[in-house]
Amino acid sequence: MQSRCYILGLTLLGACNLGEDMSNTPVSHDDDELFIEEDGDHEAHHPHAARTWKIAIVDDDEDVHRATEFALLDVRILNRRLEFIHTYSKAQTRECFAKESDIAVILLDVVMETEQAGLELVGYIRDELKWRDSRIILRTGQPGYAPEEDAIRDYDINDYKTKNELTRKKLLTALTAAIRSYDQIRTIDASRRGLHQIIVSSASFSVEDGIQRFASGVITQIAALCGVPPEGLLCAQGDLPDELGHTSRFSVIASAGHFSKLMNCPIEDIANVHVRDSLRHALTYRESSFHQHDMTLYFSGHGNRPVAAFIELPYALSEIDQQLLGVFCSNLGVCLDNLGLVNQLKNHAYRDQLLMLPNRLKFIEQIVLALEQPAAKKMVVLIDIDDFAEINDVLGHHYGDLLLRAVANRMKQELGESIFLARISGDVFGLLGPEVSLQPEILRLLFAKPFLIADTGHAVSMSMGIVALDGYTSSGADALKDASIALKRAKGHHRGSYILFTREMGIEIRERALLMQQLHKAFDADRLFLAYQPQIDLSTRRLIGFEALLRWRTDEGILVSPSDFIPLAEHSGLIISLGAWVLRTACHTMVKLQEAGLAPERMGVNVSVIQFRQADFIATVEAALKDSGLAPHCLELEITESVTMASADVFEDSLAQFKKMGVQIAIDDFGTGFSSLSYLDKLPVDRLKIDIAFVRQIDTPEGPRIAELITQLGKKLGLKLIAEGIETEHHWQVLQEMGCHEGQGFLIAKPMMEADLLDWIKDWSAR
Ligand code: C2E
Ligand code: MG
Ligand code: MG
């Protein structure tokens, strides 16, 4: 039986970084390759056949050289001939060995130019050259020069013999033992390094992310393990989950060397019958096979899907090699599993699982790509199904899902390949494609026909937010944000409308966002404060109240109008804590005025509808009163008219409760909202505030008409009236004559700081 031990060419692997494209890296037949022929028949077949064992004879005595060579003439050990290297001194040996490698045995004379020359060479060989495998047999003329026992151990010296001890027979025995030992050391070493490489390379495989990169890495790696150039191919079932979820039959997923052109080829189309059958066999029977000039390795891929690699070899592999490859393949199976998982995760990260459409992340990725090709004139459109929340609520989520699916399918079918369709969130779809194909009229046509759901037609209207990428300078994520801004505006208009995002829109939004940030900071840093504007009885001039008005001075010292920042605070929810603070502060100020004996009857505080809607708003007011010790009837809440009307049901209850507590209620900006009279009649309010706009009208051709109407209405309803924005004596006079009892305005006083209140009050009553 012939057997050949081919030890894997492993040092090469150290340089083989997985993931690197190895196809251009020549695979050298490294020095570590070693053949042990127990039968010389095949020498002629392969390039390594003529290999020999290198024996170095190091001795300063020429006769010893000749005698040794003569004694070993024509000797074959483990099927190889011997090859001699002759050196005569320590210095010459160092020089020679520096250029040599793979010396199996060194027959070393101890005493040469010096008594220690031989032992010093041993140190050089082991420590500097780091030849650990080479066997050393020390020879000496005189027994007295034997090395110390620990030197023999430390320097791994095989044998120590006096020269006359070494008869031909003994020399042959010693040499054979040394060569055998050299060979075994190399075998073990190579296997150990092989296993190490397998572990290292398997680990680096698992961080690879693409199946194809992985696959070509596999071919390279197997070839490298065998010390042959990468010539081969890898076949896998096509339904390994690729990024797009495509599936197919077995086909070539990686190829190298002269197989390169077979990339992506279905297995049936591989012309070489042997290759095709080998792969098919491996994939069908799930086993590896080894032939004289090739092997087909099987490893189970992701989800047990079979993968097979066909690799060409110059010669058959030994059993040890096959076992090593077995270990490698089972590792690959695990790696491939990981890879599958990574793909699955990717799939989840980039795909919407309900509609199996690309998701928001993927959409942004595509916008980024589109932005890299500005010449393409592309557009981002967000489509939002109108009233989808109601559809879900009324008809159920399953129905909602069906509707989304129907919408997605129609868009996919009608828009074609050039449009990238994604699901951005709930009922929002993203479209990316050429401007011409995404015109609003075209898209609207898509929704003209009802969608068929459970055999019934469902008419759907949608709103659109559009961003043209032509000339767009921000990022992909920004483009989506901007499209959302436009969409939000469109939805604010009316059902079925669309808005094209403009630069100005973006600037406005970003400025608002910035202002919002600053407002939050200002509140946290106590940079907000209250100003108080006096309210007086127009006939007696008596001070009857103050209105607390919020002020914000920015870090730069700019006063921002509450008309600008209150809506922001409402929008961000900050109004809740801000409003509570206003209430507390105003109550405390009022108490201080009372303590000074100069307080008017009431303190007016503006309240936002957002505050009113809070379930604990009444408790907040109670706490402010209790905290400050202010009596409820000294507090008046100002609520704007439009707000009272918009959420009447919310108000009725809480207003009644405030009434019970004794807190007064004024309707602010009266005349600007759309109060229904019958409703106003029902609301338990104390006062109407005539809006500044109608006071201003007194000076215009319109005259005091509306102010008068409001006054009469108030009187009919038994309410008190107060006018805001009195700037002239004329306003005052007109308002007083029409029967408006109270007023406030710059003519009387501008809103002032708390610190100035006492002086102003004293001053006013002295006038
Ligand atoms: P508002 O409640 O109708 O307050 C009256 C506004 O008219 C105040 O503006 C006041 O400074 C201004 N004003 C008073 N007399 C005159 C005048 O003779 N001529 C002119 N041109 N203006 C006059 P301000 O302080 O800018 O407040 C604007 C609005 O901001 C308020 O209108 C109110 O709706 C809101 N606001 C102010 N403070 C608060 C607050 O603490 N909470 C809430 N929710 N809203 C507040
Ligand atoms: Mg007010
Ligand atoms: Mg007002």
Side-chain angles (χ1 to χ4, degrees):
M1 194 196 88
Q2 45 173 269
S3 77
R4 178 183 322 194
C5 180
Y6 173 43
I7 292 159
L8 304 176
L10 291 162
T11 46
L12 176 121
L13 290 173
C16 169
N17 193 344
L18 295 155
E20 261 177 25
D21 182 8
M22 287 284 294
S23 50
N24 296 324
T25 314
V27 176
S28 70
H29 292 269
D30 200 84
D31 297 330
D32 288 346
E33 288 169 13
L34 180 62
F35 295 84
I36 306 161
E37 316 265 345
E38 276 163 8
D39 166 331
D41 289 353
H42 305 285
E43 288 185 7
H45 299 308
H46 68 73
H48 303 287
R51 291 189 68 159
T52 54
W53 301 118
K54 282 189 198 171
I55 312 294
I57 303 170
V58 182
D59 206 306
D60 56 355
D61 185 345
E62 176 59 33
D63 287 344
V64 174
H65 283 268
R66 257 185 276 132
T68 310
E69 206 173 334
F70 183 73
L72 300 172
L73 199 69
D74 288 334
V75 161
R76 289 175 70 96
I77 298 174
L78 301 181
N79 261 321
R80 287 199 203 178
R81 269 189 286 276
L82 308 182
E83 175 190 338
F84 296 101
I85 295 163
H86 299 277
T87 60
Y88 297 86
S89 68
K90 179 182 138 191
Q92 192 206 353
T93 308
R94 284 178 70 112
E95 210 177 296
C96 168
F97 281 11
K99 291 175 225 141
E100 270 298 339
S101 59
D102 282 349
I103 296 182
V105 182
I106 302 158
L107 295 166
L108 182 56
D109 189 14
V110 177
V111 181
M112 289 182 288
E113 61 262 56
T114 64
E115 284 181 358
Q116 295 293 314
L119 287 178
E120 281 160 14
L121 265 179
V122 175
Y124 170 72
I125 290 164
R126 296 289 189 231
D127 297 340
E128 285 184 50
L129 292 177
K130 306 228 180 293
W131 290 357
R132 304 273 151 78
D133 304 345
S134 302
R135 301 294 85 209
I136 298 173
I137 297 172
L138 284 180
R139 297 196 291 185
T140 174
Q142 302 100 325
Y145 291 100
E148 300 292 326
E149 229 174 77
D150 38 355
I152 292 186
R153 192 189 56 234
D154 291 349
Y155 283 132
D156 188 16
I157 293 167
N158 266 54
D159 228 335
Y160 171 77
K161 293 273 173 351
T162 55
K163 287 182 191 168
N164 41 21
E165 250 184 291
L166 279 175
T167 59
R168 181 179 183 269
K169 199 167 167 207
K170 278 192 180 150
L171 178 62
L172 201 57
T173 316
L175 201 61
T176 307
I179 286 177
R180 206 177 276 286
S181 143
Y182 171 74
D183 180 43
Q184 280 164 358
I185 291 170
R186 302 221 83 180
T187 309
I188 293 164
D189 205 34
S191 307
R192 185 182 52 75
R193 276 184 286 163
L195 283 171
H196 176 71
Q197 275 307 322
I198 286 166
I199 290 160
V200 171
S201 53
S202 306
S204 61
F205 268 139
S206 31
V207 294
E208 285 296 303
D209 51 0
I211 291 274
Q212 279 192 356
R213 274 189 72 181
F214 170 84
S216 56
V218 168
I219 297 179
T220 315
Q221 197 65 17
I222 294 174
L225 276 169
C226 302
V228 300
E231 299 273 358
L233 30 89
L234 199 74
C235 246
Q237 205 170 34
D239 60 354
L240 278 170
D242 74 355
E243 275 179 34
L244 296 170
H246 291 153
T247 59
S248 70
R249 308 158 294 175
F250 284 112
S251 56
V252 177
I253 59 169
S255 54
H258 63 85
F259 288 106
S260 296
K261 45 190 179 307
L262 288 178
M263 190 63 193
N264 296 325
C265 173
I267 195 166
E268 304 76 49
D269 297 351
I270 298 175
N272 185 322
V273 182
H274 175 62
V275 174
R276 189 177 65 217
D277 289 350
S278 301
L279 283 168
R280 205 182 266 148
H281 178 93
L283 292 166
T284 313
Y285 297 102
R286 305 194 166 210
E287 62 183 20
S288 302
S289 59
F290 296 89
H291 300 105
Q292 186 68 29
H293 297 292
D294 55 70
M295 62 180 172
T296 311
L297 299 174
Y298 159 78
F299 41 97
S300 72
H302 171 65
N304 254 337
R305 287 190 184 87
V307 176
F310 178 91
I311 310 276
E312 277 192 346
L313 293 169
Y315 3 86
L317 294 188
S318 75
E319 224 164 281
I320 297 178
D321 302 342
Q322 294 180 13
Q323 279 164 7
L324 281 175
L325 282 170
V327 176
F328 185 67
C329 288
S330 62
N331 267 300
L332 284 187
V334 174
C335 297
L336 213 61
D337 258 344
N338 291 342
L339 214 68
L341 283 178
V342 170
N343 265 357
Q344 233 176 19
L345 286 176
K346 259 194 173 169
N347 191 21
H348 276 272
Y350 287 108
R351 283 186 91 73
D352 170 69
Q353 298 299 305
L354 174 70
L355 304 181
M356 288 321 278
L357 283 179
N359 65 8
R360 177 196 172 83
L361 265 180
K362 192 79 195 165
F363 193 60
I364 293 175
E365 247 185 42
Q366 292 297 311
I367 301 176
V368 171
L369 290 179
L371 285 171
E372 283 165 10
Q373 301 150 356
K377 289 213 175 207
K378 288 196 170 173
M379 202 146 90
V380 172
V381 180
L382 289 186
I383 291 187
D384 182 306
I385 299 176
D386 291 327
D387 309 319
F388 185 73
E390 286 72 36
I391 297 171
N392 249 346
D393 285 349
V394 176
L395 300 168
H397 285 254
H398 178 64
Y399 190 93
D401 288 353
L402 290 178
L403 179 61
L404 287 176
R405 213 166 269 151
V407 169
N409 284 342
R410 183 175 300 171
M411 285 201 282
K412 242 192 284 186
Q413 277 161 16
E414 305 277 322
L415 290 169
E417 295 280 301
S418 68
I419 307 293
F420 187 86
L421 171 67
R423 185 183 182 203
I424 307 303
S425 64
D427 61 336
V428 179
F429 292 93
L431 304 176
L432 171 70
E435 279 181 13
V436 280
S437 335
L438 289 179
Q439 291 305 307
E441 302 72 42
I442 300 178
L443 297 177
R444 215 175 260 144
L445 271 180
L446 287 181
F447 286 74
K449 270 194 307 180
F451 292 86
L452 206 63
I453 290 143
D455 293 334
T456 333
H458 187 122
V460 168
S461 102
M462 52 85 169
S463 308
M464 289 177 270
I466 305 169
V467 172
L469 297 185
D470 189 27
Y472 191 81
T473 48
S474 304
S475 72
D478 279 346
L480 185 59
K481 253 187 242 158
D482 291 345
S484 307
I485 290 169
L487 177 64
K488 210 166 175 185
R489 297 233 166 156
K491 288 188 83 75
H493 274 217
H494 54 82
R495 298 166 93 247
S497 66
Y498 72 88
I499 296 275
L500 180 68
F501 179 82
T502 59
R503 242 176 74 81
E504 295 66 39
M505 218 182 265
I507 292 168
E508 191 191 313
I509 296 271
R510 280 181 245 283
E511 274 174 359
R512 270 171 64 103
L514 200 71
L515 203 65
M516 189 120 92
Q517 259 177 17
Q518 289 174 346
L519 177 62
H520 272 264
K521 269 205 328 231
F523 182 52
D524 291 340
D526 291 331
R527 293 193 62 87
L528 297 175
F529 57 95
L530 294 183
Y532 301 89
Q533 189 176 36
Q535 300 173 328
I536 58 155
D537 183 315
L538 290 179
S539 353
T540 63
R541 298 175 62 91
R542 190 172 58 91
L543 173 67
I544 46 174
F546 282 107
E547 178 179 6
L549 293 159
L550 194 53
R551 294 288 175 266
W552 170 21
R553 196 185 295 280
T554 63
D555 290 347
E556 295 79 35
I558 300 161
L559 265 179
V560 187
S561 161
S563 314
D564 292 334
F565 72 81
I566 294 287
L568 281 185
E570 287 178 340
H571 195 76
S572 71
L574 180 68
I575 192 69
I576 293 163
S577 39
L578 189 54
W581 174 83
V582 171
L583 267 166
R584 273 198 316 274
T585 312
C587 289
H588 275 285
T589 303
M590 187 61 176
V591 170
K592 274 187 238 168
L593 294 180
Q594 288 173 341
E595 284 164 359
L598 291 169
E601 291 160 25
R602 59 170 190 268
M603 174 64 80
V605 174
N606 294 285
V607 172
S608 149
V609 65
I610 312 277
Q611 290 170 272
F612 239 98
R613 284 213 190 110
Q614 287 304 107
D616 60 353
F617 180 59
I618 293 173
T620 308
V621 174
E622 276 172 339
L625 290 170
K626 205 170 152 217
D627 240 41
S628 55
L630 187 70
H633 68 266
C634 297
L635 178 66
E636 182 169 80
L637 301 180
E638 293 191 9
I639 309 148
T640 51
E641 183 198 13
S642 47
V643 161
T644 4
M645 291 305 117
S647 15
D649 45 334
V650 187
F651 280 92
E652 262 186 71
D653 278 359
S654 30
L655 286 189
Q657 288 204 48
F658 281 126
K659 197 80 229 166
K660 234 160 94 194
M661 279 163 65
V663 172
Q664 304 194 42
I665 305 288
I667 295 191
D668 207 348
D669 304 340
F670 192 79
T672 58
F674 306 94
S675 312
S676 98
L677 287 181
S678 60
Y679 187 67
L680 197 59
D681 194 21
K682 279 204 300 189
L683 282 182
V685 297
D686 302 277
R687 191 171 271 100
L688 295 186
K689 291 192 82 171
I690 301 171
D691 191 67
I692 197 166
F694 307 121
V695 176
R696 290 226 173 99
Q697 256 182 19
I698 295 174
D699 303 327
T700 68
E702 298 274 334
R705 224 166 39 88
I706 298 183
E708 220 163 346
L709 269 172
I710 295 172
T711 310
Q712 280 161 17
L713 175 74
K715 279 184 185 162
K716 242 183 232 151
L717 294 171
L719 302 174
K720 296 228 172 79
L721 288 147
I722 182 166
E724 16 169 63
I726 300 175
E727 289 185 352
T728 63
E729 297 285 353
H730 179 59
H731 291 158
W732 185 327
Q733 198 191 336
V734 172
L735 286 162
Q736 191 189 347
E737 276 168 9
M738 70 175 67
C740 174
H741 319 104
E742 302 166 351
Q744 67 186 89
F746 291 175
L747 178 67
I748 298 135
K750 287 196 170 177
M752 59 190 113
M753 307 285 283
E754 187 195 330
D756 300 329
L757 289 180
L758 290 177
D759 282 348
W760 184 87
I761 296 170
K762 284 179 205 155
D763 206 47
W764 181 254
S765 38
R767 272 207 241 167

